[in-house]
Amino acid sequence: MAQQLSYRTERVNELMRRELVLLLKQETKDPRLKQVVITDVIVSRDLTSAKVFFSVDEDSQKTVTSLLNKAGGFFRSNLSKSLDLRHTPSL
């Protein structure tokens, strides 16, 4: 059963996806992260956490997943600077 999203949640999903794409293209220095494609972001109803879905080559999936998990704080801090939200969701 699909969860019905509010207009605000959908808007935050799209804003976070756009900003993450820009951060990956412009701010990351690791060349392994340049091949990552952010496909979707789903924010919880209370906007405290977000799941980020991405696509990458199958052979480099484990390394890229661990790199993205390690860089979660970097992405969250940059998202808090660029998005006008009271609390930035944890990734």
Side-chain angles (χ1 to χ4, degrees):
M1 188 156 112
Q3 174 184 346
Q4 186 174 0
L5 300 175
S6 68
Y7 175 71
R8 177 171 169 78
T9 307
E10 289 179 9
R11 201 172 72 217
V12 170
N13 288 343
E14 185 59 27
L15 280 173
M16 285 187 66
R17 189 187 69 75
R18 283 186 198 158
E19 287 298 322
L20 284 171
V21 167
L22 287 175
L23 284 173
L24 277 172
K25 286 186 178 182
Q26 297 173 355
E27 299 294 326
T28 56
K29 294 177 174 58
D30 195 336
R32 295 173 289 186
L33 293 179
K34 299 290 183 184
Q35 62 186 346
V36 175
V37 176
I38 303 294
T39 57
D40 199 11
V41 175
I42 298 179
V43 180
S44 64
R45 183 174 281 186
D46 59 355
L47 302 177
T48 58
S49 63
K51 288 184 182 181
V52 179
F53 297 93
F54 64 93
S55 176
V56 70
D57 293 335
E58 191 172 321
D59 53 338
S60 62
Q61 184 176 5
K62 287 186 180 183
T63 56
V64 169
T65 302
S66 67
L67 285 172
L68 288 174
N69 285 334
K70 288 179 183 177
F74 166 77
F75 290 121
R76 186 176 182 200
S77 68
N78 282 314
L79 282 173
S80 70
K81 293 173 188 172
S82 61
L83 298 179
D84 189 24
L85 297 174
R86 184 175 294 179
H87 300 287
T88 305
S90 62
L91 304 174

